[in-house]
Amino acid sequence: MACKKTHTAIDVIVKDLPIGQEGSGRHRCASCAYEIGYENGLVKAENINLESILDSLEDSQKGARRHRSPHAAYSLGYYNGVIESYK
Ligand SMILES: [Zn+2]
């Protein structure tokens, strides 16, 4: 299934991430990965199974987020979520 979310704001962040299609993240929606990372970062989730998270994502071949590394997207989202949690 392909991701049908709009992701307008997140696509701006994700478009500058490296291209990466390794492992479970292959062809997955990087913007969805960012969103989940951000939510996990906000609550400082510590018991994370990234393979399972990436496996659960919808595919995306769309626009600026195409082929962007979901690993990079998740970790950047997590980082930004942690920073936000201290504001
Ligand atoms: Zn998505």
Side-chain angles (χ1 to χ4, degrees), residues 5-25:
K5 292 183 186 170
T6 313
H7 290 314
T8 308
I10 296 171
D11 280 348
V12 174
I13 301 168
V14 165
K15 73 173 176 48
D16 292 326
L17 293 175
I19 299 287
Q21 303 183 72
E22 302 83 8
S24 298

Side-chain angles (χ1 to χ4, degrees), residues 3 5 7 29 31-32 65:
C3 176
K5 292 183 186 170
H7 290 314
C29 178
S31 294
C32 281
R65 79 186 86 115

